[in-house]
Amino acid sequence: MEAQPSPFNSDQLLMGQLGKFVRFCFGLEALSLIAGIPIFLIAAFRLSLKLGWQQASSTLFLITEMLALGMLALQMVPAIAWWTLKKGNRHARVWALAASVVNVLPLPAVSRSWMIFSGLKHSPAGLITALIGVAGLIAFSRGPVVSQVADAAKPKPQRLPGDGTSKAAERLAGVVAVAWLFFCLHFWRVWGRGQHLRQSDFLVWVAEVQVAVLICIAIHEFGHVLAGWASDMKLRSFQVGPFRWSHRRGKWKFKLLASMGGVTGMAPTRLTNVRGRSAFFTFGGPVASLVLAGIGCIATLAAKGHFWEGSWTLLSIIATIASLDFMVNLIPQKPEAQYSDGARIYQLVTNGPWAQVEQAFSMVASSLVTSRRPRDYDIDVLHAAGNFLARGDRGMLLRLYSCTHYLDTGQVPEAVASLQEAETLYEGGALQSPAGICALFVFLNAIFKRDVAAAELWWQRLQAHRDIDYDAEYWQARASILWLQGQTDEARAACESGYALALELPAAGAYDYTRSGFDALRDALNEPPPVALADMLNAIASEEVAAEPEAVPEAT
């Protein structure tokens, strides 16, 4: 019986999402505390002077100072909780529970640090913080939630020579983001009061922030799409926040993700001037953000007396986020798995090793929208890019593309060598379809490498994934593993099921190569399956034992 993936724990996912929301709220408190500490200290100093001029008793003076410092210390607990959760510290759960208790405590509204962040005196700060505290107690009462919330569980970004990024640039991006955010929030709040415009309630303001983020992401990514269309590219994937559309095997598919990022994937229809057209495509996003920021700013400043006056807060937030995205995204950095637009533009303009990497992936992507097959790849470009990316999933993919090139040209020994290199680099963390890569490894190891142990290992890894796409490649892998297990009839049935799906794929070079893979599979099914090395050794040992003569009993 085939191994089945463990059932999906919806309760665990819900607690993880709740924990991420509470961590986000702790982050707001930590952010507002930066501005809150000076204000808090000034207020305490003025109170000290007032008590001093009134010649209050030393006991009253000391109690007042201790209460002020204690209040400030309590406001630091959520900031510490946010930091420990972000880093995956072993004490993160303790700090998260402590911060939740602090939020539940009936402290005065003026002492709440994020009152400075919202700037809305009429907001029910006590009720909001109490609800956040209760949510935190519920979420972090379970230990596994901390591992889901922590950034430490994510793969660390790799910094390679020539990518244009540095720790200094990432710190600069952080400083610019915080400074610009506080400046814009303060400016729009003061300007709105001067124009006697209505301030949004806190919960409405939070909802407007979420809407503004989605709008800014959508316009930024649509800028990439327009630039790509102008550069003779075809759209393959589009993500705005948690909504992702991808064109796979001739059909558009929708998927809901636990993410708030933006991604645009496009494939070139021609390979002339790849660097220039890729740079133009990349620069389209920041330009769209800048245009949106200008429109949002003008619309906000002109809102007084017009029909959109009630939406001035939303427009001001859009202008803030879009301008922030334009500035920060052009700074070369790699905050997570993907490079910023500024880093990619730098890599393309400097024409270093990263330009070869871009050319290699553009060449492979073009096979999805043109008649170019893997045998038409420039193997020298793949090797140059692979030698530069000696680790990670992208390095693994480059070696896997080399393997398909060699197979499509009939060079099986070279293909097996590339396959072995690809297997050693597999991580799976940054791949869109790790199960699909595992299926390909099963098929290649079984049919071309004839490695039974490796094929069974990758089949087990494939079955361990929760999100399996039962496509033509999956049925290739299933037919291969059934053949290795001696179930030839079942393997032929799986082969025909997969081939029927392959015939439905569009007319493109990559899909033509997939269809040709079933010819190699059918040829293998007409042969006896290879025997695993362990089974062979056991069989030899059994034959040797059976061949030994029985011992003759000694006469008494």
Side-chain angles (χ1 to χ4, degrees), residues 168-192:
E170 293 175 0
R171 293 192 185 101
L172 175 63
V175 171
V176 170
V178 173
W180 184 251
L181 181 62
F182 272 112
F183 169 78
C184 291
L185 289 176
H186 176 74
F187 172 81
W188 290 121
R189 184 172 66 249
V190 173
W191 179 85

Side-chain angles (χ1 to χ4, degrees), residues 5-38:
S6 58
F8 181 70
N9 193 335
S10 59
D11 182 61
Q12 185 177 2
L13 176 61
L14 179 62
M15 289 297 102
Q17 295 299 321
L18 182 62
K20 291 179 181 179
F21 172 75
V22 173
R23 185 195 122 170
F24 170 76
C25 294
F26 290 163
L28 286 181
E29 294 183 77
L31 190 62
S32 60
L33 194 62
I34 298 175
I37 288 178

Side-chain angles (χ1 to χ4, degrees), residues 50 185 192 195-196 271 285 298 305 310 323 328 343 378 380 384 392 400 433-434 498 531 534 538:
K50 183 177 179 180
L185 289 176
Q195 297 292 319
H196 304 289
L271 296 180
I298 294 173
S323 58
V328 174
D378 189 335
D380 293 332
L400 199 54
S433 179
V531 180
N538 291 333

Side-chain angles (χ1 to χ4, degrees), residues 356 360 363 377-387 402 405-406:
Q356 292 180 325
M363 178 176 60
Y377 295 162
D378 189 335
I379 193 62
D380 293 332
V381 173
L382 290 177
H383 282 169
N387 292 334
S402 298
H405 166 80
Y406 285 127

Side-chain angles (χ1 to χ4, degrees), residues 353-437:
W354 280 103
Q356 292 180 325
V357 173
E358 181 68 28
Q359 183 178 355
F361 279 98
S362 296
M363 178 176 60
V364 174
S366 67
S367 66
L368 297 170
V369 294
T370 66
S371 60
R372 185 176 292 104
R373 284 181 55 135
R375 64 190 175 203
D376 302 318
Y377 295 162
D378 189 335
I379 193 62
D380 293 332
V381 173
L382 290 177
H383 282 169
N387 292 334
F388 178 67
L389 292 181
R391 57 182 180 178
D393 285 327
R394 299 189 75 186
M396 180 271 298
L397 289 174
L398 288 170
R399 286 154 179 81
L400 199 54
Y401 298 149
S402 298
C403 175
T404 59
H405 166 80
Y406 285 127
L407 288 177
D408 207 19
T409 55
Q411 305 177 66
V412 177
E414 291 83 355
V416 171
S418 297
L419 171 63
Q420 291 175 334
E421 293 180 5
E423 289 180 287
T424 60
L425 298 181
Y426 177 84
E427 295 175 358
L431 296 173
Q432 292 183 10
S433 179
I437 298 297

Side-chain angles (χ1 to χ4, degrees), residues 255-278:
K255 188 175 183 180
L256 195 62
L257 304 175
S259 170
M260 280 301 290
V263 176
T264 298
M266 304 191 76
T269 57
R270 55 188 176 89
L271 296 180
T272 56
N273 191 21
V274 173
R275 284 198 308 120
R277 291 188 293 119
S278 296

Side-chain angles (χ1 to χ4, degrees), residues 33 40-41 44 61-78 102 105 107-108 111-112:
L33 194 62
F40 206 92
L41 293 178
F61 181 81
L62 181 61
I63 292 176
T64 304
E65 294 297 317
M66 293 298 295
L67 286 175
L69 293 175
M71 201 74 70
L72 180 60
L74 286 177
Q75 294 305 309
M76 290 183 178
V77 175
V102 169
L105 292 177
L107 300 177
S111 67
R112 295 295 182 184

